[in-house]
Amino acid sequence: MAYRIIADSCCDRTARMADWTNITFVPLTLEIGDYRIMDDENFDQDDYIRRTLEYKDVPKTACPSPDAWASALDCDEDELYLITITDKLSGTYNSALQGVELYRDEHRDSTKKIHVFNSLATSGIESLIAEKIKELGDAGADFDTVVTTIEDYTVNHLALYFCLESLDVLKKNGRLFALAATILKKLRLKMVFERTTEGNISLSAQDIAMNRAIVKMANTIAEDVEGVDLSDKRLIITHVCCPDKAEFVKEKICAAAPFGDVEIVKASGLNSTYASNGGIIVSYSK
């Protein structure tokens, strides 16, 4: 059966996706005061970050409505795989579930198979999940096999770390609720965070300088993949207006852990909002 991947716009668009005809992106909404845009293919990272830096408050985001998901499900394919940002940081996952219910209510005779994947993360992990679904789907894997494989892949074979210049947006929007209060007092430091397999954020390392924090992150990743054959593993480095820093991250990680495939991408609008100017997100398979 024909399949389609439907991902929220937190899924960073990789070069591999450029010619895909069976992927749909459901955009979140970005707001900077009265300025409101959709996080879609027209997102201009440089202009958006300039606006955030000029804005005295912090930008806000809104998840797609259930109607938006239901509309995306109204397509020709019979097997539909939805991918969302972790439910610990956004209401997007629950909105997608509601969108499926809405679609089912409006199409009671539909025999479509639909599954919503909670990525337990954002950014490059969503991209890696999409790429894995594509690999399995193109190889002819059946729906249940894809679902079982991806659920295991998400928890046991993917990881994400990030290092930010500023945590202001995360803090002021309540996205650091899982961190101990003592950590918040150290915001003057450059911190390396990791996603947990429950979809939360955990402190991994810290330093007074960004470059040293990045080196610590590279060493942590190298330890995480020690003993793993990386020749067929993929590393995605997502950046917010800092391509030179992304290259530095690539150099440090690859010196310690030679991933077989490495790609640097610009962050989507949602990820640009919370990672903020100068932020780096590293996602990889293992």
Side-chain angles (χ1 to χ4, degrees):
M1 289 188 177
Y3 72 93
R4 176 166 290 274
I5 300 166
I6 302 174
D8 64 27
S9 58
C10 307
C11 177
D12 291 323
R13 304 179 191 213
T14 64
R16 292 187 181 186
M17 298 176 186
D19 60 353
W20 291 7
T21 58
N22 63 339
I23 186 168
T24 299
F25 292 95
V26 180
L28 282 82
T29 304
L30 312 175
E31 297 181 6
I32 307 174
D34 295 331
Y35 178 72
R36 188 171 185 269
I37 59 171
M38 303 304 291
D39 183 13
D40 57 19
E41 68 278 3
N42 298 313
F43 174 71
D44 184 332
Q45 187 186 75
D46 292 333
D47 176 71
Y48 180 75
I49 292 300
R50 178 186 60 78
R51 290 174 182 269
T52 65
L53 294 175
E54 293 174 352
Y55 187 50
K56 294 181 181 179
D57 205 341
V58 295
K60 299 179 185 286
T61 62
C63 65
S65 68
D67 279 333
W69 288 105
S71 295
L73 293 169
D74 192 11
C75 56
D76 295 333
E77 290 79 9
D78 301 306
E79 297 181 348
L80 307 177
Y81 304 106
L82 283 61
I83 310 169
T84 78
I85 183 176
T86 172
D87 63 336
K88 301 299 190 297
L89 299 180
S90 171
T92 301
Y93 175 71
N94 287 329
S95 179
L97 292 177
Q98 293 170 24
V100 173
E101 291 181 4
L102 183 61
Y103 178 83
R104 294 292 194 200
D105 286 343
E106 295 176 349
H107 302 80
R108 294 186 179 275
D109 59 342
S110 173
T111 59
K112 289 180 186 288
K113 296 180 178 180
I114 306 171
H115 186 80
V116 183
F117 291 106
N118 178 355
S119 73
L120 302 175
T122 184
S123 192
I125 278 192
E126 288 194 49
S127 309
L128 291 168
I129 290 171
E131 291 175 1
K132 189 67 172 180
I133 294 172
K134 183 86 160 72
E135 175 189 324
L136 293 167
D138 289 353
D142 63 76
F143 182 82
D144 291 339
T145 297
V146 173
V147 170
T148 301
T149 302
I150 295 300
E151 292 289 5
D152 174 73
Y153 184 65
T154 300
V155 175
N156 298 313
H157 300 281
L158 294 177
L160 179 148
Y161 288 83
F162 62 93
C163 190
L164 311 183
E165 288 284 358
S166 170
L167 296 177
D168 287 348
V169 177
L170 278 175
K171 181 184 176 184
K172 291 179 181 179
N173 278 291
R175 303 307 193 200
L176 290 176
F177 60 87
L179 299 180
T182 53
I183 294 176
L184 296 179
K185 295 178 182 178
K186 301 177 181 178
L187 290 180
R188 66 185 181 278
L189 299 175
K190 302 306 178 185
M191 298 182 182
V192 177
F193 296 96
E194 63 179 310
R195 75 99 188 219
T196 70
T197 53
E198 293 78 32
N200 282 316
I201 298 170
S202 176
L203 179 65
S204 173
Q206 62 191 43
D207 208 295
I208 59 173
M210 175 62 86
N211 283 0
R212 295 202 320 215
I214 287 172
V215 170
K216 287 184 177 180
M217 179 171 65
N219 291 337
T220 299
I221 292 172
E223 291 175 6
D224 185 42
V225 298
E226 186 175 2
V228 176
D229 179 3
L230 298 175
S231 60
D232 64 342
K233 305 306 178 186
R234 185 149 153 77
L235 176 76
I236 297 176
I237 301 170
T238 302
H239 73 88
V240 183
C241 296
C242 55
D244 291 343
K245 186 187 296 180
E247 289 289 350
F248 178 75
V249 171
K250 176 181 176 180
E251 174 190 340
K252 294 303 178 184
I253 293 177
C254 290
F259 282 84
D261 191 292
V262 182
E263 182 176 351
I264 294 175
V265 301
K266 280 188 173 184
S268 68
L270 185 286
N271 296 322
S272 293
T273 300
Y274 290 107
S276 301
N277 189 40
I280 290 286
I281 307 170
V282 178
S283 312
Y284 59 93
S285 58
K286 58 180 178 176

